[in-house]
Amino acid sequence: MPVENATMPGLVEALFAKWRAVEGQELLREGAKIVLHLKDHGPLPIEVADAMLPDAERAKGIGMVRFFRDRKYDLEMDGRGNIVGAGLSLISNSRHTAEIDGTLFHQWCVADALMFPIIFGDRSPVTTTCPATGEKITFTATPDGIEDSSHPDAWFTLAPGTGGSVRVRFCDRVNLYADRAGAEAAAKADPEIAAGPAGQAWTVSKDLAELF
């Protein structure tokens, strides 16, 4: 069911309940394999991805793309049928980028842009765009926090992680705003999301990273 009059604590609790549940753990398990391949080797051929699935899943005749789709998570594909995105992406299809190990990657939401540097133990220059003003926001995401922010008073929005496509329900609505007013206006316009300071976005992302 849709979340109404969302609060930040309620959204955070529901988000972690989702990822700690069996289905969430399955997605994290397979997602980690995909992300590592994308980071280290580039596009993931579908036959290689299918071979990564556990024997029990392969026995069902369900490949990696269907495995994710059945769990409301649509992987990004290129024109050749390779997997190119699962939170961390090789194609430009969002407002968020982070440099990891010297390579620029795109991310589906600002939480991903914070989370992946924590997972890989990197200090990552991040660039995003405020949905309200169009301003470019830059900072360094580290395993210890956010540094060198161009907008020290930036706020973020958090959305429900359930109720449909992960990309639509969650990622597209988890953004960084240039200031508190922009984030709170977005939350007022959409009762399913909540707003909080950028530091809280880092804390949520750190806790998500620890689930991998």
Side-chain angles (χ1 to χ4, degrees):
M1 295 179 61
V3 177
E4 296 182 359
N5 301 317
T7 65
M8 185 63 70
L11 286 177
V12 171
E13 181 180 359
L15 179 64
F16 283 93
K18 167 193 170 66
W19 289 111
R20 289 183 176 124
V22 172
E23 188 172 282
Q25 289 294 301
E26 292 171 343
L27 286 170
L28 290 172
R29 181 193 69 212
E30 301 309 316
K33 300 173 187 177
I34 294 172
V35 165
L36 190 60
H37 188 285
L38 296 177
K39 174 181 172 291
D40 292 342
H41 305 291
L44 174 58
I46 194 65
E47 63 273 12
V48 176
D50 292 348
M52 290 177 173
L53 285 168
D55 292 343
E57 297 298 333
R58 293 205 306 274
K60 298 175 185 177
I62 296 175
M64 188 69 82
V65 172
R66 173 69 182 278
F67 178 88
F68 272 77
R69 186 170 295 150
D70 286 349
R71 291 159 178 79
K72 309 296 185 185
Y73 194 119
D74 289 320
L75 299 168
E76 279 183 325
M77 312 292 290
D78 66 14
R80 298 182 178 181
N82 299 310
I83 296 172
V84 293
L88 182 140
S89 178
L90 305 180
I91 62 175
S92 178
N93 194 20
S94 77
R95 64 178 74 245
H96 323 284
T97 64
E99 183 179 310
I100 300 173
D101 288 345
T103 299
L104 189 68
F105 294 97
H106 297 267
Q107 289 80 38
W108 291 358
C109 66
V110 75
D112 289 334
L114 289 163
M115 180 179 71
F116 287 116
I118 295 171
I119 290 172
F120 293 115
D122 206 5
R123 294 178 56 84
S124 299
V126 174
T127 299
T128 186
T129 304
C130 173
T133 66
E135 293 177 61
K136 182 164 66 173
I137 303 172
T138 62
F139 58 89
T140 302
T142 83
D144 300 310
I146 295 172
E147 299 179 4
D148 305 321
S149 176
S150 63
H151 292 69
D153 297 322
W155 271 46
F156 85 113
T157 50
L158 190 67
T162 58
S165 163
V166 169
R167 188 74 184 267
V168 174
R169 294 283 297 161
F170 182 77
C171 298
D172 289 349
R173 297 191 287 177
V174 178
N175 293 298
L176 195 64
Y177 288 75
D179 55 28
R180 178 175 182 170
E184 289 188 333
K188 183 178 181 180
D190 182 347
E192 288 195 327
I193 67 175
Q200 189 171 12
W202 180 87
T203 299
V204 171
S205 299
K206 179 179 182 294
D207 291 342
L208 286 171
E210 291 177 351
L211 296 179
F212 271 79

